[in-house]
Amino acid sequence: MRMLVKKKSLVIVTCFLLVLMYVLNEFYRHRTERLSSGNTNTGGTGALVNVIEEHHEALLYWFSAVESGSLPKHGNILLHIDGHSDGADPFNRLRNPIYRMPRNEREIRLMMVKNDVFIQAAAGTGLIKRFIWVWPPYSEVDKPYIAMNVEAGLMYTEENELVMCFCMESNHTSFEHSCVRVQQPEYEDEDEKYFSIERNMCHDMTLGGIVEIVSTHKARELAKSGTWIKASDSVILDIDEDFYACEAVSAPLYDAGMNEDDIDSLSLYIGKILCTDNAKDEMEADRYFQKLLKAVQETLKHCRSGRLGVETCESNHAFTEAVLALMPDMTITRDIMCLPKESTQFMLVNLVERLKRCSDTQLQHIARIGVCMYASPRSTNFNRNNAMILCKGCNGPNSTQVIFHSTTDKEIATTTRNLKEILTQAFIPKVVTVCRSVRDGYTPRKQFPLIEEGVLSVLKAVYPNHVTDDTIHYDSELLGGREGWYFRYSR
């Protein structure tokens, strides 16, 4: 789940500061490794602007820019324009490359846990010295501008466990504890814990860094000052399209009378039948699912009209056979089939039986949502088996982990103008990542084309000598391809 500032105490809010612990002076003195160009397949193309699906995929392009020499290995500013901070704590920090660049693709993949964890992992390599999060008007952050300085280091606990510790100060806010040590969680879904310590307990405090949390209005003001980000600064520009709005993809299903168990049950059997590990096969799996839905709807009509006998309509196996008889040319190919034919057929009976219970309205919403992989196939813990689910996004409409906000065409135009004002500064970014956040269910799917058009038009207008249609790279793992998901069967 993505983390919002309002959901944490102030110490937890500033957890991103932990990132900067890794940017030790020792890194500058002793660590000069480059990425191994022979072993790292980042997918980077050398393009300045790279459109990606899920936010942790940005790491591929940032480190590709390092490898090509267009981005320094350390000392960069990350200008993060996003509906969320994406500063969640990595579950196991020590498995990531720290104090150095990742050496190969495997090490980069270890850093790509999920959409809100990647920034701390990147900062751990020394890539980032200053993090600026610009949050949208619909977020609920208490102050328009907070800047914090941090010093960090290491200490041993009474159990002789080596842990991180840090001290922080700010002219914009106060801290309940100015110095704390960090305790790693036992389980992946738990938060880190923080314990107050005396400053002299934290050793090797060779780290220094800045974190800024800025409202859209304040960012526009700072951009006009001419001193916020300078022409000489090395900048990674990172824009998430959910900066415009955030909606719950599954809301129409709940409105139509389905509950969480209904949705999870469908996803369970979808994952037992369809297995993919790339966006191309993901589309093929959804295409099969759309045909299956239409066959279910048609068979239900035949049952209601009396065209099919009672025995056929009441027996799950017979009903499934009637459904499959309507799609003889749509046998599941081995590329997207989890199990051999007979086992898949067994699972199909269970899936069709659950679809059979749905109303026409529910089936229509299910078709619009479709099926997709639960996460980017590049994610650290991605598993092809059970990868496909109902494409419902990460958060249901009753989630308290994110702030939902619907938008209009007029508001999209306003946000685009705000974005242009924020970016109209002296610097030219070294690399730009634009994240769709559609598969994970944050950016409104129906409005994503207009939102993305606005973002790219701003980049072309602000950087006319660097960004054109020909220099924008679309990642190969975009959900629904370059054109996107919502209109995938209407174009």
Side-chain angles (χ1 to χ4, degrees):
M1 300 296 181
R2 295 197 175 189
M3 181 175 62
L4 290 175
V5 166
K6 191 175 181 181
K7 304 300 179 183
K8 303 281 185 179
S9 68
L10 192 53
V11 171
I12 304 298
V13 166
T14 59
C15 71
F16 180 81
L17 299 178
L18 298 175
V19 182
L20 302 174
M21 295 176 186
Y22 298 125
V23 193
L24 303 174
N25 289 339
E26 181 180 352
F27 172 84
Y28 301 112
R29 293 195 303 268
H30 302 296
R31 304 285 182 172
T32 59
E33 296 95 333
R34 288 185 63 90
L35 283 167
S36 174
S37 59
N39 296 328
T40 304
N41 178 19
T42 64
T45 64
L48 177 66
V49 178
N50 302 280
V51 181
I52 57 176
E53 181 58 49
E54 295 182 44
H55 222 145
H56 51 308
E57 293 175 299
L59 295 182
L60 295 173
Y61 292 96
W62 296 356
F63 288 112
S64 178
V66 171
E67 181 184 0
S68 69
S70 58
L71 180 69
K73 298 176 187 175
H74 52 75
N76 299 289
I77 296 173
L78 174 58
L79 179 55
H80 179 71
I81 302 175
D82 194 320
H84 311 86
S85 70
D86 290 347
D89 309 311
F91 173 63
N92 186 349
R93 297 174 185 272
L94 298 181
R95 76 176 178 182
N96 295 334
I98 54 176
Y99 318 137
R100 63 172 176 81
M101 293 290 104
R103 295 191 179 100
N104 50 46
E105 182 180 354
R106 176 184 172 276
E107 290 196 337
I108 295 176
R109 294 295 177 93
L110 285 175
M111 301 164 68
M112 297 173 62
V113 178
K114 56 182 180 178
N115 57 15
D116 61 346
V117 179
F118 68 104
I119 291 178
Q120 290 213 38
T125 68
L127 187 69
I128 302 164
K129 74 166 184 180
R130 179 181 171 196
F131 170 70
I132 303 171
W133 172 33
V134 178
W135 49 270
Y138 69 81
S139 288
E140 298 179 11
V141 183
D142 296 332
K143 297 184 178 181
Y145 182 81
I146 299 174
M148 294 159 280
N149 295 313
V150 72
E151 295 176 280
L154 302 168
M155 65 175 288
Y156 279 98
T157 65
E158 294 178 355
E159 294 77 24
N160 292 323
E161 179 186 4
L162 185 64
V163 298
M164 292 173 286
C165 50
F166 66 95
C167 298
M168 53 193 176
E169 61 180 6
S170 171
N171 294 327
H172 302 94
T173 188
S174 59
F175 302 101
E176 182 179 359
H177 307 294
S178 59
C179 294
V180 298
R181 71 171 175 86
V182 185
Q183 179 176 311
Q184 287 285 114
E186 292 185 36
Y187 304 102
E188 190 163 349
D189 292 334
E190 292 182 344
D191 292 325
E192 291 181 333
K193 296 179 181 179
Y194 303 86
F195 298 91
S196 179
I197 60 170
E198 296 296 326
R199 181 183 176 85
N200 60 9
M201 297 174 66
C202 194
H203 306 294
D204 298 321
M205 297 182 71
T206 54
L207 168 75
I210 300 173
V211 171
E212 296 171 57
I213 302 173
V214 191
S215 71
T216 297
H217 178 75
K218 186 64 177 179
R220 291 164 57 202
E221 178 184 316
L222 290 170
K224 293 175 183 177
S225 71
T227 59
W228 188 32
I229 304 176
K230 301 180 178 65
S232 58
D233 288 328
S234 178
V235 179
I236 301 169
L237 176 57
D238 183 49
I239 304 170
D240 196 318
E241 293 178 14
D242 70 14
F243 180 74
Y244 283 71
C246 183
E247 292 184 347
V249 176
S250 58
L253 299 179
Y254 286 85
D255 292 341
M258 298 183 72
N259 57 40
E260 186 174 358
D261 289 341
D262 296 331
I263 296 170
D264 289 345
S265 179
L266 284 175
S267 288
L268 172 68
Y269 285 100
I270 289 167
K272 298 294 185 184
I273 298 166
L274 302 170
C275 288
T276 67
D277 56 11
N278 63 78
K280 180 178 177 294
D281 286 348
E282 180 181 49
M283 276 286 285
E284 185 63 29
D286 183 66
R287 188 174 291 109
Y288 176 86
F289 184 71
Q290 298 296 325
K291 295 283 188 180
L292 182 67
L293 284 175
K294 290 180 180 178
V296 169
Q297 291 173 303
E298 190 67 21
T299 305
L300 285 171
K301 289 180 183 178
H302 292 168
C303 286
R304 295 186 192 118
S305 67
R307 183 174 173 182
L308 291 176
V310 174
E311 183 178 345
T312 299
C313 295
E314 290 185 352
S315 167
N316 291 330
H317 282 275
F319 186 88
T320 301
E321 290 296 332
V323 168
L324 296 180
L326 295 177
M327 41 190 301
D329 59 333
M330 285 298 297
T331 55
I332 306 178
T333 67
R334 288 193 175 274
D335 289 340
I336 62 171
M337 183 170 66
C338 296
L339 300 168
K341 184 176 179 180
E342 290 185 6
S343 298
T344 297
Q345 185 87 357
F346 175 81
M347 292 297 175
L348 267 172
V349 173
N350 290 277
L351 175 59
V352 170
E353 189 271 332
R354 279 155 179 78
L355 292 172
K356 180 183 173 183
R357 300 180 199 166
C358 296
S359 68
D360 287 340
T361 300
Q362 290 171 347
L363 290 173
Q364 289 169 11
H365 289 310
I366 290 170
R368 188 171 294 112
I369 289 172
V371 297
C372 66
M373 293 179 285
Y374 66 86
S376 164
R378 295 166 173 149
S379 302
T380 303
N381 299 320
F382 178 83
N383 185 352
R384 181 181 188 274
N385 297 320
N386 300 320
M388 296 296 292
I389 61 171
L390 195 63
C391 203
K392 58 185 177 60
C394 294
N395 300 285
N398 298 320
S399 172
T400 59
Q401 300 297 316
V402 298
I403 294 174
F404 294 117
H405 175 75
S406 296
T407 190
T408 63
D409 290 359
K410 182 178 180 180
E411 187 178 330
I412 289 172
T414 299
T415 304
T416 298
R417 287 194 297 271
N418 291 338
L419 180 63
K420 186 176 182 180
E421 287 188 40
I422 293 169
L423 296 183
T424 303
Q425 300 186 59
F427 73 89
I428 303 295
K430 303 293 186 181
V431 62
V432 181
T433 40
V434 176
C435 178
R436 284 185 175 175
S437 288
V438 171
R439 182 188 283 121
D440 54 21
Y442 290 87
T443 304
R445 292 179 178 176
K446 187 175 182 179
Q447 293 166 307
F448 120 80
L450 184 59
I451 291 172
E452 187 167 295
E453 180 184 354
V455 173
L456 298 181
S457 68
V458 167
L459 295 174
K460 287 183 280 189
V462 176
Y463 313 115
N465 297 327
H466 301 82
V467 181
T468 66
D469 288 335
D470 293 334
T471 64
I472 298 172
H473 170 68
Y474 293 85
D475 187 79
S476 62
E477 296 299 330
L478 290 171
L479 178 70
R482 173 171 172 169
E483 294 82 3
W485 187 246
Y486 189 82
F487 301 106
R488 61 198 184 280
Y489 297 118
S490 61
R491 56 178 176 262

